[in-house]
Structures are given as C-alpha cells and as structure tokens.
Amino acid sequence: MDGSQFQSSPPCSTRSRIQVNMANENTPLFSHGVFSVVGDGETTSRRASRDALADHSTTPPKASNRKLNTFFGVMVPTILSMFSIVLFLRTGFVVGHAGLLQGFLMLAVAYFIISLTILSICAISTNGAVQGGGAYFMISRSLGPEFGGSIGLMFFLAKVCACGVYILGLVEALLAVFGQDPASGQVGGLRVLPQGYWYTVLYGSVALLLCLLVCLVGAHIYSRAAFLILIVVTGALISILISPLVVEPRTITITHPSGGNNHSQSLSYNVSYTGFNGTTLRDNLGPGYSTDYSTNKEMSFSTVFAVMFTSCTGIMAGANMSGELKNPSVSIPKGTILAVLYTFVVYVVLFLLVSSTCERALLIGDYGFFQRINVWPPFVLIGVYCASISAAMCALIGASRILHALALDKLFGLPLAPATITSSSGNPWMAVLYTWGLVQCTVFAAELNVIAGLVTVFYLLAYAAVDLACLALEWASAPNFRPTFQFFSWHTCLLGIVSCLVMMFVINPVYSSASIVLLLLLLLFLHYRSPTSSWGYISQALIFHQVRKYLLMLDVRKDHVKFWRPQVLLMVANPRSSSQLITFVNQLKKGGLYVLGHVQLGDLDLLPSDPVQQQYNFWLSLVDKLGVKAFVDLTLSPSVRQGTQHLLRITGLGGMKPNTLVMGFYDNSYPDDYFLQDPVFCGSGNDCSINEGDDFGVDLPSLQAHFGPVRDEVTPRSLSPDEYVGIISDAIKMNKNVCLGRYFHQLLPSEGKGLRGDGAGHTIDVWPLNLLRPSTGDGYADVCSLFLLQMACVLNMASGWRRARLRIFLCIRAQPSSLSSEDDQGWTEKEQSFRELLDKLRIRAEIRIVAWDVVVKLLGAGGDGHLGDLDNLTRAPPPVTQEFLSAVNELLRENSAEASVRFLYLPRPPAVSSQYQQYLTQLDTLSRDLGPTLLIHGLTRVTCTEL
C-alpha cells in the first residue's frame, strides 16, 4: 500500500461548478412529484417529468381523475361500509347475546378505538399531499417501506376478508327469503333457491362477479351509484325506526334444524315482538350468551364483539379513495368524522329500539327479524341487499387501490408487477382482478361469523399501525410535521395502539398471534430485500432524536480506560487503491466510531459552491458496497495536511470523536486498482446491477467514473514526503494515536472483510519493541507497546479473526554486553514477568523469543563493536544505520513470513522537519516486503488489570 491512497482529489473545473450553481438556483421550491411552487419554465417541466419517470410511485394522479368531493368521496362510502350487513343482520345478534348494557359497552369500546385512529388519520392526512393508496400511502410514507409495505399488505388482506364478509352477508339475506330450506321458518315468498355449502359458494361467487364487473368499469361508476344506494339504505333505516309506532305486537314462529346439517328434522318455537315495553327492556339489559344457530358455537363477549366490530372497519373507506379525491387533505378528516358520528347515533338508536321491542329469543334466533317487524318488509330486503353489495364493492375497490399502490412501489417485486397495469382512464383493472381472486377464496368459508374474527384482527392491526405512524411522527419532532388538524397528541396515539392490541387478543389470541407473526415475517422480508424508496424514513428521524439525547449524555469527562475502544479516522484519497485497507480497519473498530476522511484540494473563495457536498452520495454508496460500518467526512482545503488537521479537530460529536488516525504508507510503488479485482465493482456484462442505481441514484458506472484511475508513473503526487510525516507529527501533537498501513492490497478478501470462516490457520504477529530505537527491554511495557497488544487483541476478537493465532515476539540479546551485568537468567525473569502481564491483561498469545545480538551490534557500533550507548540510558541513542535497518527487516521476514498481518512499533517522528525524509526512508527500509503490516504509535493508555 503506497502513499497514493492518501492523495487528495484534484479540484473540479470552475465552469462545471458554475453550471451546478446555476442549476441549483433554478431548482423549484417544492420538487416533490411533478408539482412546484416556483417554476423555471421548460427546464422545470423537463426535470419534473424525469423525476416522475424515475419514481412513479410518488406521482399523484392526473387532475382529471380527481373528481370526488367530501360527501361523495368520503362520507358516502364510509357510511355504507360501516352500515353494511351489521346494521340489518347483526344488530339483534349483538343485543340478544350481549344485552343492551354490554352492547353499549361494545359500541363504546369500538368507537373509542376507531376515534383514536381517526385522530391519527386526520393528523397524517392533513400534513401533506395524500395520493393513491389511502391508509397504505400514509403508513408507508411515514414509517418507511419495510413497515409500510408489511402493514399495507396486511391491510389489503383485511379488505379482502371484509369483502368476503359482505358477500356472505348478502347471500345470507338472499337465502333467508328465497331459500328452499324450511328451517328458515318463513311462510310464503318465492322459495326457489336450493341451499347448502356449495350453493352458498355459488351464490357468493355470482354476487362477487357482479361487483367485479362494476369495479372494472371504474370507481366513478360506484361513486355515482353509492349516493342512490345511500338514499335507499336511509329509507330502509327510516322504515325500521317508524315500524314500532305502526306495527302491532305479534307472535313469530322460528324454525331451525334440530342438529347438524340434517334438515329433515326441525325445531320450531314461538317468540314475541312486544312493541315498546318496559319489561322487555329490563329483560334485555343483561347478557344472555348462548349458542349461535348458524355455527352451533357458544358465543361470548369476544366473539360477539368481533362480529359487531366489523361495522367499524369502514372508517378508512374514504381514505382509500384518496387517489380520486379533489382535496384529500380536507375531505378525509372532515368526511370521516361526520360519517362516524352519524353511524354512532344510528347504532345507539337501533340498540335502544330492538332491546325495547323484541324478546331476546327473537333477537338471537333470527338474523333477519327486522323484515318480520317492518311496516313493509321489502324495505328491509332492499336495504340489506343494497348495503351489502355497496360495502362489498367499496371493499373491493379499496383493496385494489392498496394493491395497485404496493405494486407501483415495487415492494414485493415481480409477483405484483402486473397489478401496475391500468386502463386509459386510470382504473387499475389488473389489481381489481388480483383482489377478486383472493376474495373468491374467502367466499369458500361460507360462514360470515367464521371469518368475522379474522377481519376484525386484521383491521385492528392496521389501525394500530396508523396510530404508530402518527406517534412516531409526533415523537420525532420533525419540523415538517405540521398537520392542520390539531386535535391529537402522542397520548391519543399511544392509547390507540394499546387499545387495538389488547382488543385483538381479547377477540382471538390465535388469529392475533398469527397476524403479528405474519407481520414480522413481512418486515424481515422487506428489510432484507431493501426496497428502493425516497419517501423518507421515520426511523431516521427517531434515531436522530434519540442519538442527540444520548450524545449529550456521553460525557467525555467520564471516560474510563476499561471501556476504551478504537475510534478511527481513516484518510483515503482514492478508494480504488485502498479498499482492502478500508475493509480491514472495519475489523479494528470494535464497535467504535469509524470515519472515512477525504481531502479535496481547493479554495472555497475561488469556487462558486462547495464541491464536496455533491460527493457524499458516491462515498456513501462505496461504504454500502464494501459492507463496512463507517461514516464519511469530506473537506476542502488548500493542502492535505491542513485538511487532515481540520478533520482531526471537527470529525465526530461530543464523546464520539476519533482517537486514532490511520493512513496508507508513503512509498514509491504504484497501487493496484481494487475496482478491477472485486466483482462487486467490476461486475459482469449480464449483471443488472451495473445499470441500476441504488436507493439514492448512484449506479455502478457513475461510481466508477467518480473515483478516477489510480496513480501511475505520469500522475504527479499531491502529497510530499515532508507533508506526510508532518501529518503524523500533527496527529501525535493532537494526542491522537497513529497507524500506518502497508501492503494491505495483498490481503485476501476473507482476511480483509472477515466474512469467510473464523480465521483458523491465520496468524497475527506483534513486535512490541521500538525497532528503530531499542532499549534494554524495559520498553515492552510502555504505553505504545501495550497499545500494539490491545489493537492486536481487538483484531483477534473480530469475527473473521477469532481463531487466528496471536504471536508476540520478544527480541533479546542472548549474550550480555561488556558494560552490562545482564545474563540469560535476567532475561528469563523478564520473560516470565511479561507472561504474568499478559495473564493480568487476559491476553492469550504465544510468546516467541528472538535472539538478535547480531542485529543489535549493527546499531551505531563503535570501535569495540559493543553497545555501551544502548545500555546507558543517560546518553544519546546511537545513530540508526542502513545496515541495521536491513538486518531488522531480514529478521522480521524470517520470523513473520507466514503471518497474515503484522503489528510493528511506530517511533515518533523527529522534531526537526529537515529529518522527515530520513525518518520516512527508515520506515520504508524497516517494513519493506513484509506483507500486510500496521505500524502503530499509541499515546493512549488502553489496558486495565482491574475488574
């Protein structure tokens, strides 16, 4: 590894900077999608078109497709969805089993939960432009693609199941009048439809096919018909309310099969419709849970609530039409709140009405009792059919819009790709077909009450996700979260989440657990798939919010040596020549701060804008491709030395600042181009990743073009030897540890990245003696030597080096000098004391003794050939000769030839700058041809023997 990896990038041309600056000046104020407030004529429109093509998922529908107002687009579908089958077919079921008081409790709990969710929906929908996809769009753009995609799919499944419930409710109402089964207990009528499981499936399939035909035409047909349906349903509702004032009390005969599916025997009994009666009201106040005649299962609070809650699953019907609304930010909150208030009043009145006029046996024994006590029975039949078919179409349309939005966002890849197809009018007919097929599967359940619990659980999970999205936005305290709807707080969001989760498990613990497991699996799938998005991630805002708090708590005055860890600033000029060193240093950080620093030469006074700001995405994409956990910090400076000083001072924040500077070695060799060796960067001709950009638009050709070719014989250096050594000296003056990496281009990928195996068969060699200025041996326990040992241990703890052997070499003189009383026994004692030190430091290493008498004799040898100066520490150290350095280099190569990496003691640079060149030459001779080597000078006390 040569010094070219520490060269800076050349300054960009002034002309290109001016062009960039002019482009920035013409950028629209708001560049989201294709809208802007301040435009620049043709340039803006072209840029907007390009952005729309690049991210069609963020492009709102054409203005011509947005035709619906608050009443027709939100209130009508929401009211019809919330009435659906529960209003006409399950009101008596709820009051009959639960009683009036518990029925009111269920109603209060249900509307309390949805009211909290509505507050969150209103807050999110009034915080910006809401596009197609409704609730999915809100969740995904708030929580990011992983959570948004998983919840969006769950909400889609909830809509699918709800559509199945509405279809089965319609079939149930049809068979109650036209079914041939005498168990219905009705007299007269056109009883021509045979009954049974497969007949129920057949009728449901025909009704679903009718809904499909309407939805294939488009949502505008449904919206036009929905108002007429609402008028019909309202008329039926009025007839129910006035019937007790007109219809006289009567006795009604109910007939059910006596058991199982055997319809040959039936059980008949009489029940009463009493009209308004105080005794009837008192009898219906308390609960009376019994067996449901359609499923033969014992009812309870949770099962009845699950059925009743399906009436509350329509609160997002208007939000799901967001792509067709003229002004969704206004229409969604206003229309949803008004619709919910209206339905709540209606349900309260109906609960009071039926509990005051009908015996419990009538309420429990006949789902369609409203028809029997109505002033004109066809009113109820028409209302049931219209409400059911309307709710089914609304659910089918809403689910198809969610699926279409999921497909446009490409979160689930090819399986949903056909769902992006739309008609010329913008109707996603392929998504409608997808949804129709899944709803058809739910029709095979053939029992409304069976899948009602699953629908309720899915909806509650979706509601909890909406509350979570609003809570996250509120807690993140992002300046751009400024909803115009203010009647919410984090308390309402949190209470909504807890209420939904608790009620899920009250209704059905099995379904709830399964749905949460499915949600987690989808989250993991999307997380590992890493879908592309530019929506903004709420996780980033929350992380920023919390990290700022914890950084303030990270007090540098409370640092302790026991918890020291490397925090590295690695200076890189061209990653093409230093990628191996980048990946290797990633193994040395031990959970500490890791920053890639880069200096671009230039003077900001002479440039129209800062050139380094446009380079961050390229460097961050490089970090992603190398798979290292590092930050990037770039600076502009007239010289590399000044730029490095800037980075050493300002990089990091609070207690997270670099304590170690790492640089490549400065020599005369020409570096290899790592981009031509690693398939991640060179790719193959058939690799689609070459032309596809990452999440932030940096594709492989752009990345390769940004980082220029490595230095060759015609490329001048931008860093002089004196400046390089000056950087080392500056770092030491700033109390930073310094590491110089050499020959790391020779590292194998498994050794550099630590991704294969656990390092078995590799060795890490440590030479803890200052080989340029050796003492009598006391230097083995100085701060720098212990720093070398600590860094070697850190590497040995990394995943790819865990089973590598750690070897420590102690250089001794087997024969004492003439001026020293030291003998072999004295060295044995020092070796033993060094072993004891390693035991105290919990360092498991193999100690190797190397006799270097012959080498030491070459260090400043006088006329007698002895080292009197070396043994007398009061005298100046002897001069380092070329012969000594060559001998030490030979000694290192003989003993560490098979090592994967070597740690050597880096002496301080000389105080006089005139000796910098000599110092660099000595380091070059010392470490020549050794293989991957790290020369380290440590200033920090990093080892501790205390608990």
Side-chain angles (χ1 to χ4, degrees):
M1 192 64 60
D2 68 4
S4 66
Q5 70 182 33
F6 192 61
Q7 298 169 12
S8 63
S9 301
C12 299
S13 65
T14 304
R15 179 180 180 181
S16 64
R17 295 302 176 212
I18 294 175
Q19 291 174 347
V20 171
N21 192 50
M22 292 175 64
N24 289 338
E25 290 177 356
N26 292 327
T27 301
L29 181 60
F30 295 122
S31 60
H32 179 73
V34 296
F35 294 112
S36 63
V37 175
V38 180
D40 59 350
E42 185 178 358
T43 305
T44 301
S45 63
R46 290 179 179 176
R47 187 186 302 113
S49 301
R50 184 179 66 251
D51 292 342
L53 291 174
D55 188 8
H56 56 270
S57 66
T58 62
T59 303
K62 296 179 181 179
S64 59
N65 292 335
R66 292 183 174 271
K67 301 178 180 180
L68 303 181
N69 58 17
T70 301
F71 181 76
F72 290 100
V74 181
M75 284 190 65
V76 171
T78 302
I79 291 173
L80 290 176
S81 296
M82 296 189 71
F83 280 164
S84 64
I85 59 165
V86 175
L87 179 71
F88 297 105
L89 296 182
R90 288 299 184 270
T91 300
F93 169 84
V94 173
V95 177
H97 284 286
L100 180 61
L101 298 181
Q102 286 197 13
F104 278 158
L105 176 62
M106 291 180 183
L107 200 64
V109 171
Y111 272 81
F112 176 74
I113 292 174
I114 65 172
S115 297
L116 295 174
T117 305
I118 288 171
L119 296 180
S120 300
I121 293 174
C122 295
I124 297 175
S125 63
T126 59
N127 189 54
V130 180
Q131 299 167 19
Y136 159 70
F137 182 87
M138 298 180 199
I139 297 171
S140 62
R141 270 48 175 186
S142 300
L143 299 182
E146 293 94 345
F147 209 98
S150 56
I151 284 294
L153 188 60
M154 297 289 289
F155 191 51
F156 166 74
L157 295 177
K159 279 286 182 185
V160 167
C161 294
C163 186
V165 168
Y166 303 144
I167 291 294
L168 292 176
L170 175 62
V171 173
E172 183 181 293
L174 284 170
L175 294 178
V177 179
F178 301 103
Q180 289 182 353
D181 188 359
S184 63
Q186 291 237 353
V187 180
L190 301 175
R191 297 192 159 275
V192 296
L193 298 178
Q195 295 197 55
Y197 170 79
W198 289 109
Y199 283 110
T200 300
V201 173
L202 174 63
Y203 304 147
S205 300
V206 173
L208 182 60
L209 184 61
L210 176 63
C211 295
L212 172 66
L213 295 177
V214 174
C215 294
L216 286 177
V217 175
H220 62 284
I221 298 296
Y222 165 74
S223 63
R224 291 172 183 174
F227 178 62
L228 297 178
I229 294 175
L230 180 61
I231 293 177
V232 173
V233 171
T234 304
L237 182 60
I238 292 174
S239 72
I240 292 175
L241 295 177
I242 66 174
S243 290
L245 303 176
V246 178
V247 178
E248 297 292 331
R250 64 181 63 174
T251 299
I252 301 173
T253 302
I254 296 178
T255 303
H256 292 306
S258 60
N261 295 322
N262 184 10
H263 296 169
S264 60
Q265 297 181 355
S266 60
L267 177 65
S268 298
Y269 55 94
N270 295 326
V271 294
S272 297
Y273 163 70
T274 64
F276 288 108
N277 188 291
T279 303
T280 303
L281 178 61
R282 286 193 298 270
D283 292 341
N284 288 330
L285 287 178
Y289 297 108
S290 60
T291 302
D292 177 30
Y293 73 87
S294 65
T295 60
N296 291 321
K297 294 182 179 179
E298 188 70 21
M299 293 293 100
S300 63
F301 182 92
S302 61
T303 54
V304 174
F305 180 81
V307 175
M308 196 278 298
F309 194 81
T310 56
S311 67
C312 301
T313 56
I315 61 171
M316 293 188 183
N320 291 332
M321 304 291 289
S322 58
E324 284 81 18
L325 296 174
K326 292 180 181 178
N327 192 346
S329 296
V330 174
S331 298
I332 290 175
K334 182 190 297 184
T336 304
I337 292 174
L338 291 176
V340 168
L341 289 175
Y342 174 71
T343 57
F344 179 75
V345 172
V346 170
Y347 276 117
V348 169
V349 172
L350 281 182
F351 276 25
L352 284 171
L353 179 70
V354 298
S355 62
S356 303
T357 59
C358 301
E359 288 185 349
R360 187 185 301 273
L362 173 61
L363 300 178
I364 294 177
D366 188 4
Y367 294 151
F369 75 96
F370 274 136
Q371 180 189 353
R372 301 195 182 197
I373 64 173
N374 197 268
V375 63
W376 190 55
F379 264 140
V380 177
L381 290 178
I382 296 173
V384 170
Y385 300 155
C386 290
S388 300
I389 201 73
S390 171
M393 285 191 292
C394 183
L396 187 61
I397 291 175
S400 64
R401 270 36 178 191
I402 295 172
L403 185 66
H404 179 63
L406 283 167
L408 286 178
D409 290 338
K410 299 180 181 179
L411 297 182
F412 294 94
L414 291 177
L416 296 186
T420 60
I421 301 174
T422 61
S423 64
S424 58
S425 62
N427 182 37
W429 61 271
M430 199 66 190
V432 174
L433 289 177
Y434 265 72
T435 309
W436 167 78
L438 290 176
V439 175
Q440 182 63 56
C441 295
T442 66
V443 172
F444 283 99
E447 288 291 349
L448 186 152
N449 291 355
V450 171
I451 58 176
L454 183 62
V455 172
T456 302
V457 166
F458 276 176
Y459 269 104
L460 283 171
L461 190 61
Y463 294 167
V466 174
D467 290 322
L468 177 62
C470 190
L471 177 67
L473 290 169
E474 178 70 9
W475 275 355
S477 300
N480 280 318
F481 183 58
R482 300 188 298 271
T484 56
F485 183 85
Q486 295 291 325
F487 299 100
F488 79 101
S489 69
W490 69 267
H491 304 86
T492 62
C493 300
L494 186 60
L495 188 58
I497 296 171
V498 174
S499 302
C500 291
L501 295 178
V502 169
M503 197 51 60
M504 281 173 57
F505 284 93
V506 168
I507 291 171
N508 196 311
V510 176
Y511 285 168
S512 301
S513 302
S515 63
I516 291 175
V517 169
L518 177 60
L519 175 65
L520 294 177
L521 291 176
L522 290 172
L523 276 171
L524 291 175
F525 170 76
L526 291 175
H527 175 73
Y528 286 110
R529 193 174 182 272
S530 299
T532 299
S533 78
S534 58
W535 310 334
Y537 295 78
I538 189 63
S539 58
Q540 297 299 302
L542 291 172
I543 290 170
F544 178 89
H545 191 262
Q546 292 303 115
V547 165
R548 181 189 64 85
K549 289 184 177 180
Y550 285 115
L551 278 174
L552 291 172
M553 296 169 61
L554 190 60
D555 193 340
V556 294
R557 297 169 296 182
K558 299 178 182 179
D559 285 344
H560 193 279
V561 66
K562 288 191 296 185
F563 306 111
W564 179 90
R565 66 184 72 232
Q567 303 203 78
V568 180
L569 171 64
L570 172 61
M571 296 303 301
V572 180
N574 192 341
R576 287 179 175 270
S577 61
S578 54
S579 293
Q580 293 98 324
L581 181 60
I582 295 174
T583 54
F584 175 78
V585 174
N586 187 58
Q587 301 290 306
L588 281 176
K589 66 182 187 301
K590 189 56 179 175
L593 181 69
Y594 182 24
V595 181
L596 301 183
H598 173 74
V599 179
Q600 177 163 322
L601 295 180
D603 189 348
L604 195 58
D605 290 340
L606 303 178
L607 297 171
S609 64
D610 186 2
V612 302
Q613 297 301 320
Q614 304 157 25
Q615 301 181 22
Y616 274 97
N617 272 359
F618 293 99
W619 282 87
L620 293 173
S621 297
L622 171 76
V623 168
D624 293 338
K625 289 189 176 296
L626 290 176
V628 298
K629 297 179 180 179
F631 298 94
V632 174
D633 210 348
L634 313 178
T635 189
L636 181 72
S637 179
S639 70
V640 176
R641 184 174 181 180
Q642 287 186 18
T644 306
Q645 289 179 10
H646 297 162
L647 293 177
L648 284 172
R649 291 185 186 279
I650 66 174
T651 297
L653 195 63
M656 295 193 68
K657 297 184 71 69
N659 55 33
T660 303
L661 174 68
V662 181
M663 299 187 294
F665 197 79
Y666 192 98
D667 58 20
N668 294 318
S669 63
Y670 298 109
D672 297 329
D673 192 338
Y674 182 78
F675 282 16
L676 301 179
Q677 304 171 13
D678 193 329
V680 172
F681 292 97
C682 59
S684 60
N686 298 324
D687 189 359
C688 63
S689 64
I690 293 179
N691 298 319
E692 291 185 1
D694 60 13
D695 290 4
F696 305 96
V698 178
D699 55 16
L700 188 55
S702 300
L703 187 66
Q704 292 173 330
H706 178 76
F707 299 111
V710 298
R711 184 178 60 86
D712 53 25
E713 60 273 8
V714 298
T715 304
R717 290 180 181 270
S718 58
L719 184 66
S720 66
D722 287 352
E723 192 175 11
Y724 178 82
V725 180
I727 293 172
I728 300 175
S729 179
D730 294 341
I732 293 176
K733 291 178 182 178
M734 299 169 71
N735 202 36
K736 307 291 183 183
N737 311 295
V738 178
C739 301
L740 307 180
R742 190 176 192 186
Y743 296 120
F744 276 90
H745 63 280
Q746 299 178 8
L747 268 183
L748 298 175
S750 61
E751 296 170 341
K753 298 182 180 180
L755 297 178
R756 302 176 188 171
D758 51 9
H762 297 286
T763 57
I764 303 170
D765 287 358
V766 182
W767 296 77
L769 180 65
N770 186 347
L771 297 174
L772 290 186
R773 298 180 179 87
S775 65
T776 59
D778 297 331
Y780 285 120
D782 67 7
V783 171
C784 186
S785 299
L786 293 177
F787 188 88
L788 259 71
L789 292 175
Q790 182 79 339
M791 295 297 285
C793 287
V794 168
L795 180 62
N796 204 191
M797 296 167 72
S799 58
W801 299 83
R802 206 160 278 158
R803 293 186 59 189
R805 288 186 302 143
L806 181 59
R807 303 190 302 182
I808 301 176
F809 290 85
L810 301 182
C811 298
I812 69 168
R813 283 172 291 155
Q815 299 296 327
S817 66
S818 58
L819 300 178
S820 175
S821 59
E822 187 178 337
D823 54 15
D824 292 341
Q825 184 63 31
W827 272 110
T828 303
E829 292 177 358
K830 291 192 174 184
E831 179 190 345
Q832 182 61 33
S833 65
F834 189 76
R835 291 183 185 275
E836 293 175 358
L837 175 63
L838 293 182
D839 290 339
K840 292 180 180 179
L841 297 175
R842 289 88 61 203
I843 297 176
R844 284 188 264 181
E846 174 186 347
I847 298 179
R848 293 205 172 187
I849 305 300
V850 178
W852 71 328
D853 302 69
V854 177
V855 177
V856 172
K857 289 180 180 179
L858 300 175
L859 181 61
D864 58 357
H866 291 292
L867 295 176
D869 290 333
L870 183 62
D871 294 319
N872 191 342
L873 299 179
T874 61
R875 303 180 185 180
V880 177
T881 63
Q882 188 67 24
E883 293 79 7
F884 169 76
L885 294 171
S886 299
V888 172
N889 177 259
E890 183 66 27
L891 181 71
L892 293 171
R893 283 190 286 145
E894 288 178 0
N895 291 275
S896 291
E898 72 277 16
S900 297
V901 66
R902 300 146 195 84
F903 288 77
L904 302 185
Y905 193 118
L906 175 67
R908 281 179 175 267
V912 183
S913 60
S914 60
Q915 299 178 7
Y916 282 176
Q917 182 65 59
Q918 179 185 2
Y919 170 79
L920 196 56
T921 303
Q922 292 173 353
L923 295 180
D924 176 66
T925 305
L926 181 69
S927 58
R928 184 173 300 160
D929 299 326
L930 286 183
T933 302
L934 207 60
L935 293 96
I936 300 176
H937 186 88
L939 300 173
T940 310
R941 180 171 171 261
V942 294
T943 56
C944 180
T945 59
E946 301 174 357
L947 180 62

